[in-house]
Amino acid sequence: MKSVLVFAALGAAVFAQDDVKKLTPEELKQLMTEKVFFLDVRTPAEIEELGTLKGYVNIPIDELEKRMSEVPKNRRIVTA
């Protein structure tokens, strides 16, 4: 049940900030210059296989519940 609440809280934070959408490379490049929290929820194996972007904080989805304190509540969140 806790996991559901954590994901609901994270989702609510994202929806409260802006509409959720997929970004174009140009939009992502612009966001890299703004005060945005980049959250990568993939596993280390997925990151090793697919790579990541500089500035992304990796909190694997199965650790997110325990590490929610690391996710800022006052910034736009971009996830990978």
Side-chain angles (χ1 to χ4, degrees):
M1 182 66 164
K2 270 188 174 179
S3 295
V4 172
L5 294 176
V6 168
F7 294 120
L10 182 59
V14 170
F15 283 112
Q17 293 177 23
D18 279 330
D19 292 328
V20 176
K21 67 178 214 164
K22 292 183 179 180
L23 298 173
T24 66
E26 294 79 21
E27 290 169 323
L28 180 59
K29 185 176 180 179
Q30 175 60 37
L31 283 174
M32 298 291 281
T33 67
E34 298 176 17
K35 196 167 187 168
V36 175
F37 184 76
F38 293 99
L39 176 62
D40 192 332
V41 295
R42 297 174 298 158
T43 65
E46 290 172 313
I47 290 174
E48 185 176 325
E49 178 184 340
L50 302 170
T52 190
L53 295 173
K54 182 179 177 182
Y56 267 85
V57 174
N58 178 239
I59 303 176
I61 195 76
D62 61 340
E63 296 178 19
L64 188 57
E65 181 178 351
K66 294 181 285 190
R67 297 177 61 187
M68 280 300 290
S69 63
E70 297 175 47
V71 179
K73 294 174 178 57
N74 61 347
R75 289 170 59 189
R76 180 181 295 178
I77 300 169
V78 176
T79 61

